[in-house]
Amino acid sequence: MTKRLYNFNPGPAALPLEVLEEAQETFVDFQGTGISLLEMSHRSRGVEQLNQETQQLLLHLLNLPASDYEVLFMGGGASTQFALLPMNFLPANQTAHYVLTGSFAEKAYKEAGYIGKTQIAASSKEHNWQYIPDLHETELTADAAYLHLTLNNTIEGSRFQQIPEVGSTPLVADMTSDILSRRLDLEQFSMIYAGAQKNLGPAGVTVAIVRKTWLQQASTQIPEIMRYETFAKHQSLYNTPPVHAIYMMNLVLKWALQQGGVASLELQNKHKAKLIYDIIDGSSGFYKGLIAHKDRSDMNITWRMSNEQIEKAFIQESLENGFEGLAGHRSVGGMRASSYNAVPLEACQALADFMKAFVRKYG
């Protein structure tokens, strides 16, 4: 087998090797059925059981009660949720509030503006997204339909360290790049959503978890395929779901349990991120972190260097040394190491050693 790369891609991202190997073993013949899961009807008993078990696993890992929340498996990525959320939960007589902390938060805000009234509750855009802005309950209007947060900013490398208090206003979060990475009291949210391709599995399935009492308020004046209620009523089997992606998520969730659950993964993630942040902070400015220390993400670590020439050399030499995905997002440039749950400690230690050696060579 070819030596695997140190995969720091931002998404689609690293998957646990054990998960890939198990999926490989069952690819042609799924659990002795004589056919591949890719060929199996989504109406079959096996797929229904897989679907239900995966929903239960996810709620268990997130410490959310099944009696209060519906788990929906959908398509279209988190970007589709940017539109579906206001379509379902933004009435004409209310205003959706958004905290702008990065590019994806801004995209979510923009999509909602096509549906109804919106308002920026707080923003750090004028400061190049370098920090998470403070938010106070008094900044929300009385007609607030919900407040939307992007808990972790994949491109910029920042995150909310605590969930803000918003009183009775329904709270919604895009958790695409930090779901299952740290312990949070998610019962504060009326809805969370996440594309799977960072911490949950491969691209192709998107998770929406909605409080049942809030779901009762969702619009029935939109097409059925766009209603959260439709997916809840049919256990996400209203139309053909991305069955194999859900199966891969099932394996990833079981792997997460084997690691000790979210509490254990959080400790590992802190340790992995610290290895890299320590090199950045100890480089005497050779590496320049982009985010205020108090708001740094453990999932997406970003930095710049003195000029584009030295950054290009860093990328080229990192590729030659077996590192994948360290170039920053094309919209901002620089460097980014995405250290999701499945990125092993060995990869982060190897990156820290490479960065240290690069300083010695070029500093």
Side-chain angles (χ1 to χ4, degrees), residues 239-261:
N239 63 338
T240 308
V243 175
H244 199 267
I246 293 170
Y247 168 62
M248 293 293 290
M249 188 196 303
N250 182 282
L251 297 183
V252 170
L253 296 178
K254 289 175 178 174
W255 172 86
L257 281 173
Q258 291 165 1
Q259 305 309 301

Side-chain angles (χ1 to χ4, degrees), residues 315-357:
I315 294 299
Q316 182 58 42
E317 293 191 24
S318 72
L319 291 169
E320 293 168 0
N321 283 272
F323 296 95
E324 170 75 12
L326 290 175
H329 191 272
R330 63 185 181 275
S331 65
V332 295
M335 309 300 139
R336 173 177 53 177
S338 294
S339 179
Y340 300 122
N341 287 347
V343 175
L345 175 64
E346 173 198 356
C348 294
Q349 184 62 66
L351 176 57
D353 293 341
F354 170 75
M355 291 172 71
K356 197 182 300 181

Side-chain angles (χ1 to χ4, degrees), residues 3 61 68 75 104 115 143 152 158 189 193 202 213 216 221 277 310 321 334 340 345 347:
K3 185 179 184 302
L61 279 162
D68 293 343
F104 286 118
I115 308 300
D143 70 341
N152 187 89
S158 65
F189 290 93
Y193 63 91
T213 53
Q216 293 170 4
Q221 304 304 309
Y277 281 127
I310 196 72
N321 283 272
Y340 300 122
L345 175 64

Side-chain angles (χ1 to χ4, degrees), residues 37-55:
L37 185 63
L38 291 171
E39 305 169 283
M40 199 173 291
S41 168
H42 66 292
R43 305 296 181 194
S44 66
R45 183 168 179 79
V47 171
E48 287 182 354
Q49 289 175 338
L50 170 70
N51 191 61
Q52 187 174 25
E53 181 187 65
T54 309
Q55 293 176 20

